Every structure is written in C-alpha cells, then in structure tokens.
Amino acid sequence: STKVLSLEETPIDDQYTMVKAHFLMQFQKSTGEAKEINLDSTYILFMKGETPKIVMHIEPEDVQQAMKDRGLL
C-alpha cells in the first residue's frame, strides 16, 4: 500500500503550482516480511480549469533501485 505522509504546495504563478509529496510505500514479501520505502516526489500542476493537471513529475530517487536495495526486486 502507499500512503501520502505530507504535501507541500508552492504557487509558481497564477497557472502553476509545485507540490512536493512524501510517500510511505509498504510491501509484504511472500515470506511475510514487511518492508517500507519512504519516497519523495515533486509535481508541477496546471491549475486552470475544474481539475488540476499534472504537467511534470520528478522522482529524486530511482524507485526501482530503492526496491532492489531493500530486497523487494
């Protein structure tokens, strides 16, 4: 499962907002062992219209490598 631990919004201008999100990803291996990964992501959102739209997504850490480092892959 994945939980959003925090969100930090920073307006860029009247159309765009940067959102920094901190996630906790929880996995259970077939052995029953639980593993967790904390990851940060940054999103640039276009805020005009009814629904914000993601125009850019940045992962400062390689998610696949983080999973390998913790023995999940």
Side-chain angles (χ1 to χ4, degrees):
S1 68
T2 301
K3 294 179 185 177
V4 178
L5 299 179
S6 65
L7 294 172
E8 179 185 334
E9 292 184 40
T10 304
I12 297 171
D13 61 22
D14 65 333
Q15 295 186 46
Y16 295 93
T17 297
M18 178 175 64
V19 177
K20 292 184 178 182
H22 184 69
F23 297 98
L24 174 65
M25 300 173 73
Q26 300 172 313
F27 301 90
Q28 187 163 352
K29 295 177 73 171
S30 58
T31 62
E33 180 183 8
K35 295 277 188 170
E36 294 183 343
I37 300 174
N38 285 291
L39 290 174
D40 295 314
S41 293
T42 300
Y43 300 89
I44 304 296
L45 305 178
F46 181 70
M47 302 300 288
K48 293 293 182 185
E50 293 182 25
T51 305
K53 294 180 177 47
I54 298 172
V55 295
M56 187 185 316
H57 174 217
I58 303 165
E59 293 282 346
E61 183 178 6
D62 182 342
V63 177
Q64 188 173 11
Q65 186 62 49
M67 293 177 75
K68 285 181 183 177
D69 293 347
R70 290 161 181 85
L72 294 166
L73 295 177

